[in-house]
Amino acid sequence: MTKISIIVPAYNEEASIPALLEQLDGLVARHPSITFQTVIIENGSTDGSLTLLRDAIKTRNWITVFSLTRNFDIEGAMLAGLDAIDGDCCIFLNADLEDPPRLVDQFIDEWRAGAIHVVGLVSDRPNYSYLRNWMTKVFYAIAERMTNGAIARNVSDFRLIDRVLYQQLRKMREFSRLNRGLIGYLGGPVVRVPFNRDPRAGGKSSFRNWSAIKWGLRHILGFTVAPLRAITLLGIVCCLIAVTGAIYFSLRALTTGVPFPGFGSIMIVVLIIGGLQFIALGVIAEYLAILFLELKSRPRYVVREEIGIASN
């Protein structure tokens, strides 16, 4: 019998969990010939999420709940889920239901037709603010270009991947991980299913704009060395400008007898060069921070409690 694993990270989703369980119940009922293994990663929530999940598994023997010791962010939660599954394919689904579970049926149909990677393509985000929409578009435009498509435009973690991909994905133990980028790195043909983001089933997102900026910067740098190469290019350009300027002003002084003009212009040049140096140091520091976290080899997640057995 076909076995499909579903990984659901959940952090402070008390308001969304009833709707999530209803959607999962419907999915299981629609596919009686499939064995479902659902792993919900309770990511150190501070609300009543874990209590609701404890009650849920009493009547759902196809759900396992892993309660983590603290919030290891969504990437750590998904890795915990990957380490626990053994299905023929794996589906990533967020507990807030902004990515509609109704598309899972189409994902499964595409997989049965031979696809190894089916991903939801976000056509519109009507519930995002103008600023958040703009930030998202900028992130994906930069990320797709700088990572050679490993981080594809307008896709989220909502996807189905075959066993051949998820077995390789969980071997990648890097600390500063971005699952969607790592899956893109693995390659293979991709089937894209467009959809519009739904409103959250309940509660408020804990992912604020500043968190999104830090998240985006760290993960772009984790997939490309282009900024380091840009620093080298910038240094060459600055040196060429400096040499050209030195020659020009020296010749001018020799031919007209006028000394180097303007303390102000010199200060402007010094400040510009100094600013570029600090930017360069900042980029290098981000890469060093990534290396620092990787070299410590700390666990990406810690499971406090495992509840239930994820098979039906």
Side-chain angles (χ1 to χ4, degrees), residues 193-206:
V193 179
F195 72 96
N196 292 335
R197 274 261 166 92
D198 287 344
R200 287 179 58 87
K204 294 182 179 180
S205 173
S206 59

Side-chain angles (χ1 to χ4, degrees), residues 181-199:
L182 294 175
I183 296 171
Y185 169 82
L186 292 173
V190 181
V191 176
R192 294 175 172 85
V193 179
F195 72 96
N196 292 335
R197 274 261 166 92
D198 287 344

Side-chain angles (χ1 to χ4, degrees), residues 247-266:
I247 294 173
Y248 168 76
F249 285 117
S250 296
L251 290 175
R252 182 174 175 180
L254 291 173
T255 55
T256 65
V258 178
F260 294 120
F263 173 78
S265 59
I266 293 175

Side-chain angles (χ1 to χ4, degrees), residues 176 213-223 285-286 289-290 293:
S176 298
I213 292 171
K214 292 190 294 183
W215 177 90
L217 177 62
R218 176 60 54 86
H219 289 110
I220 288 176
L221 296 181
F223 280 87
E286 286 293 331
I290 293 173
L293 293 173

Side-chain angles (χ1 to χ4, degrees), residues 99-111 115 117-124 153-156 158-160 190-197:
D99 299 329
R102 62 182 178 272
L103 289 186
V104 170
D105 299 273
Q106 188 173 348
F107 287 6
I108 294 173
D109 290 341
E110 295 286 356
W111 175 67
H117 184 188
V118 187
V119 63
L121 181 67
V122 183
S123 301
D124 191 22
R153 192 175 303 212
N154 292 328
V155 299
S156 66
F158 183 41
R159 65 188 70 211
L160 177 152
V190 181
V191 176
R192 294 175 172 85
V193 179
F195 72 96
N196 292 335
R197 274 261 166 92

Side-chain angles (χ1 to χ4, degrees), residues 2-305:
T2 300
K3 184 174 185 179
I4 295 179
S5 302
I6 303 175
I7 297 174
V8 186
Y11 176 68
N12 286 345
E13 296 292 354
E14 180 181 12
S16 301
I17 286 174
L20 169 68
L21 294 171
E22 181 181 349
Q23 292 283 347
L24 292 174
D25 287 340
L27 176 65
V28 172
R30 290 193 301 272
H31 299 276
S33 63
I34 296 176
T35 298
F36 282 95
Q37 175 192 40
T38 302
V39 179
I40 300 178
I41 312 299
E42 191 283 301
N43 205 359
S45 299
T46 57
D47 62 2
S49 297
L50 184 57
T51 300
L52 289 177
L53 293 172
R54 286 183 189 277
D55 292 337
I57 64 172
K58 293 176 181 178
T59 55
R60 298 171 177 87
N61 64 353
W62 40 272
I63 292 180
T64 292
V65 176
F66 285 88
S67 177
L68 305 187
T69 55
R70 64 173 179 83
N71 183 4
F72 286 89
D73 68 51
I74 190 170
E75 307 298 337
M78 286 193 288
L79 181 60
L82 281 168
D83 287 341
I85 62 172
D86 60 358
D88 298 304
C89 67
C90 164
I91 296 169
F92 295 103
L93 176 66
N94 285 332
D96 59 19
L97 300 183
E98 287 188 3
D99 299 329
R102 62 182 178 272
L103 289 186
V104 170
D105 299 273
Q106 188 173 348
F107 287 6
I108 294 173
D109 290 341
E110 295 286 356
W111 175 67
R112 282 176 159 169
I116 64 170
H117 184 188
V118 187
V119 63
L121 181 67
V122 183
S123 301
D124 191 22
R125 300 174 176 85
N127 304 296
Y128 280 24
S129 67
Y130 175 82
L131 176 61
R132 184 65 178 274
N133 260 315
W134 179 82
M135 288 169 57
T136 301
K137 290 177 181 178
V138 170
F139 165 74
Y140 280 116
I142 295 173
E144 186 175 49
R145 181 176 294 273
M146 293 183 66
T147 64
N148 293 321
I151 302 176
R153 192 175 303 212
N154 292 328
V155 299
S156 66
D157 294 307
F158 183 41
R159 65 188 70 211
L160 177 152
I161 57 175
D162 190 80
R163 183 203 296 267
V164 70
L165 292 179
Y166 84 67
Q167 285 182 333
Q168 296 302 316
L169 179 61
R170 66 182 171 197
K171 290 179 182 178
M172 300 177 179
R173 311 303 294 189
E174 53 199 73
F175 193 88
S176 298
R177 61 188 295 114
L178 179 64
N179 281 288
R180 68 189 74 171
L182 294 175
I183 296 171
Y185 169 82
L186 292 173
V190 181
V191 176
R192 294 175 172 85
V193 179
F195 72 96
N196 292 335
R197 274 261 166 92
D198 287 344
R200 287 179 58 87
K204 294 182 179 180
S205 173
S206 59
F207 201 54
R208 301 292 186 255
N209 290 337
W210 177 240
S211 298
I213 292 171
K214 292 190 294 183
W215 177 90
L217 177 62
R218 176 60 54 86
H219 289 110
I220 288 176
L221 296 181
F223 280 87
T224 180
V225 295
L228 293 176
R229 292 172 179 164
I231 289 173
T232 302
L233 179 61
L234 181 63
I236 293 172
V237 170
C238 288
C239 288
L240 290 175
I241 292 174
V243 170
T244 302
I247 294 173
Y248 168 76
F249 285 117
S250 296
L251 290 175
R252 182 174 175 180
L254 291 173
T255 55
T256 65
V258 178
F260 294 120
F263 173 78
S265 59
I266 293 175
M267 284 302 298
I268 289 172
V269 172
V270 170
L271 290 173
I272 291 174
I273 298 299
L276 292 175
Q277 287 176 332
F278 278 113
I279 292 172
L281 287 172
V283 173
I284 294 171
E286 286 293 331
Y287 279 102
L288 287 175
I290 293 173
L291 288 174
F292 175 68
L293 293 173
E294 296 294 339
L295 290 173
K296 288 190 292 187
S297 298
R298 291 178 178 173
R300 194 60 183 83
Y301 64 89
V302 178
V303 177
R304 182 182 65 177
E305 185 179 4

